[in-house]
Amino acid sequence: MHRVATYQFRCAEDGVFDVSLPMGTAGPQWRCPVCGSDAVRVFSAPMLSRTSRALVAAIDRAEKTRDEPDVVSAVPPRSARTLGPMGAPNPALRRLPRP
């Protein structure tokens, strides 16, 4: 059984494209599927998991706030700051003794 990896190559004319090949078989160059010229291999971080686009967008937003935090010009309204119960109370807690 051959394990397949996705390799990236960059064509000077058409940009980056992916090629799926058995692991360890990719050479330093590959022919561009659009124009046919030689493209060089690009080394990038491996994709070890399949992450949803929504999660990737949330991670990107979180990383952006590290360097470019949102500026707040006013305190949020009181209704937004009040904390309510986290959910329906557990009925078993009603039987506990009260001080």
Side-chain angles (χ1 to χ4, degrees), residues 36-97:
S37 64
D38 286 337
V40 295
R41 186 168 167 194
V42 177
F43 292 91
S44 61
M47 292 178 52
L48 299 177
S49 66
R50 302 271 181 198
T51 307
S52 69
R53 291 187 186 271
L55 180 58
V56 170
I59 291 170
D60 289 343
R61 281 192 306 274
E63 287 181 3
K64 181 181 177 189
T65 60
R66 178 182 61 207
D67 298 324
E68 303 170 17
D70 292 335
V71 177
V72 179
S73 59
V75 176
R78 180 126 178 102
S79 62
R81 289 186 290 147
T82 57
L83 298 176
M86 294 303 290
N90 186 342
L93 296 177
R94 292 183 191 150
R95 293 184 299 218
L96 292 175

